[in-house]
Amino acid sequence: MSATTFETATPGRTLRIGFWAAQVVLSFVFISAGLVKLTTPIPQLAAMMPWAGQYSETFVRTIALVDLAGGIGILLPALTRILPRLTVLAALGCAVLQVIALVFHLSRGEAEVAPLNIVLLALSLFVLWGRRSKAPITPRQF
């Protein structure tokens, strides 16, 4: 009887580059959106995003902080290799945020925003899948 060993195949270079590229894009988009929502006066923000003028400033600024946290969390832990599992949690959070944003915008008749939400959702799920099972980042050993 022969012993069979199961080896997990390491993901190809192209796939690993794809994960990093998706993380960089997501990080840029979420940090940018968060900074805009955090620093732009509400009247100017409402001209760009009508919903921002129809909800409290606290709500808008809280969404900005959630965007910032997602953008930082999807990239920084993986780059530093300090608690890289946080990247997986950030990807999950970004995916949930995009589902909520998609429902929110569609319920308000803002279907023109839906393609962006769908792309960000797909990228978030890609990173979630990749960093959770296909190419997890090993934590730094101190």
Side-chain angles (χ1 to χ4, degrees):
M1 185 168 233
S2 66
T4 305
T5 60
F6 293 98
E7 295 181 29
T8 56
T10 58
R13 183 173 190 217
T14 304
L15 192 55
R16 289 192 319 266
I17 290 171
F19 294 139
W20 281 112
Q23 286 174 256
V24 168
V25 167
L26 286 168
S27 183
F28 176 77
V29 169
F30 279 104
I31 290 172
S32 298
L35 288 174
V36 166
K37 292 172 192 162
L38 195 61
T39 60
T40 306
I42 295 297
Q44 289 176 345
L45 192 59
M48 294 185 288
M49 304 172 199
W51 66 267
Q54 299 167 358
Y55 290 88
S56 72
E57 183 173 359
T58 303
F59 177 76
V60 174
R61 304 305 186 199
T62 300
I63 296 299
L65 294 175
V66 170
D67 285 346
L68 281 172
I72 292 168
I74 206 137
L75 189 60
L76 190 62
L79 277 177
T80 63
R81 292 182 37 219
I82 298 172
L83 298 174
R85 68 182 176 272
L86 293 178
T87 293
V88 174
L89 294 176
L92 176 62
C94 289
V96 169
L97 179 63
Q98 289 313 299
V99 169
I100 292 168
L102 185 61
V103 170
F104 175 79
H105 290 300
L106 290 176
S107 72
R108 293 175 44 83
E110 300 169 347
E112 66 277 359
V113 185
L116 176 62
N117 294 133
I118 292 168
V119 168
L120 293 175
L121 174 61
L123 286 173
S124 297
L125 292 173
F126 177 66
V127 171
L128 174 63
W129 166 73
R131 293 305 183 199
R132 183 170 167 242
S133 61
K134 195 69 174 170
I137 306 264
T138 55
R140 178 181 289 181
Q141 299 298 319
F142 291 99

